Amino acid sequence: YYMVEGLSKKFTAVFFIGYHAMVGTAGALMDHTYSSSSIYNVKINGRDVGETAINAALCGYHGVPLALVSGDDRLAREVRSFFEPGVETVTTKTGISRFAGQCRHPADVCREIEFKAERAALRYRSLKPFAFKPPIRCELDVMNTLIGHVISPLPGLVRRSGRKFFFRSKNILDFYRQLMLICDLAGYANRVLS
């Protein structure tokens, strides 16, 4: 499970350090959702999502709440729109564009992460694990029609146009496996293009 591999019910809370906003977020640094060369957009149950929400839902499946997230100001806004107010955020930089931002001094960021990590650790019990209501309905746009061609034979994947796909999963784990398979196959297609 990539960024949350090894997670289980034995964990009490998670911190996502050095994250970024979802694909398509104007002014965000390094906006993408798992693969900037393959994935154009991901929606779960009708809502645009990024790695933060997807990974928090994977954690939530195991009953583990998200307690702290650090990244740029656009990510902080995204976190506030998805999660309850108790999830701590640390803004490490202000986004200007995909490859430009005004960074805070690292010592200041480290101090704030330490402070908010301690605060999150003291109140993690009040946080609810994040979840998407099952079944998971995913709408996915890939970057080009070659990727679309390569992934179209996957079981359960419905092609709606050259780049648009739809699939359902019984839970977030099955959704995630399908998404990672799509990313892997898209990587193959991208190597063919280059």
Side-chain angles (χ1 to χ4, degrees), residues 53 57 77 89 98 117 131 140 166:
R77 255 187 265 158
T89 59
R98 182 173 172 81
L140 177 79
F166 175 83

Side-chain angles (χ1 to χ4, degrees), residues 1-172:
Y1 294 100
Y2 202 41
M3 291 173 249
V4 294
E5 181 63 40
L7 188 82
S8 70
K9 293 182 187 312
K10 69 181 179 182
F11 291 89
T12 54
V14 293
F15 295 176
F16 292 165
I17 304 298
Y19 266 56
H20 53 79
M22 70 177 87
V23 66
T25 304
L29 274 99
M30 302 293 290
D31 65 302
H32 67 276
T33 300
Y34 290 102
S35 172
S36 58
S37 63
S38 305
I39 304 295
Y40 187 77
N41 196 43
V42 179
K43 287 186 180 194
I44 291 181
N45 298 346
R47 188 166 184 196
D48 291 331
V49 296
E51 292 171 25
T52 304
I54 293 169
N55 291 343
L58 285 166
C59 296
Y61 181 86
H62 295 286
V64 180
L66 176 62
L68 171 75
V69 180
S70 76
D72 74 6
D73 60 322
R74 293 348 189 255
L75 175 63
R77 255 187 265 158
E78 182 181 319
V79 167
R80 286 191 295 276
S81 76
F82 268 95
F83 306 103
E84 57 191 279
V87 175
E88 298 285 349
T89 59
V90 176
T91 300
T92 59
K93 61 191 87 60
T94 300
I96 296 170
S97 72
R98 182 173 172 81
F99 298 117
Q102 184 177 5
C103 298
R104 292 177 56 204
H105 193 281
D108 294 338
V109 170
C110 287
R111 273 193 296 278
E112 186 176 354
I113 288 174
E114 288 172 8
F115 171 75
K116 290 195 174 175
E118 183 177 337
R119 199 160 73 175
L122 291 172
R123 64 179 188 203
Y124 76 88
R125 285 184 176 90
S126 67
L127 297 172
K128 292 181 179 76
F130 180 73
F132 292 106
K133 185 177 178 186
I136 305 294
R137 295 174 323 281
C138 177
E139 299 168 66
L140 177 79
D141 295 293
V142 294
M143 291 301 283
N144 60 60
T145 56
L146 176 61
I147 293 170
H149 177 74
V150 169
I151 69 170
S152 63
L154 288 174
L157 203 58
V158 177
R159 192 171 192 173
R160 294 199 164 149
S161 73
R163 297 187 309 118
K164 276 192 177 306
F165 292 84
F166 175 83
F167 66 93
R168 285 184 194 270
S169 299
K170 66 182 178 186
N171 60 42
I172 194 71

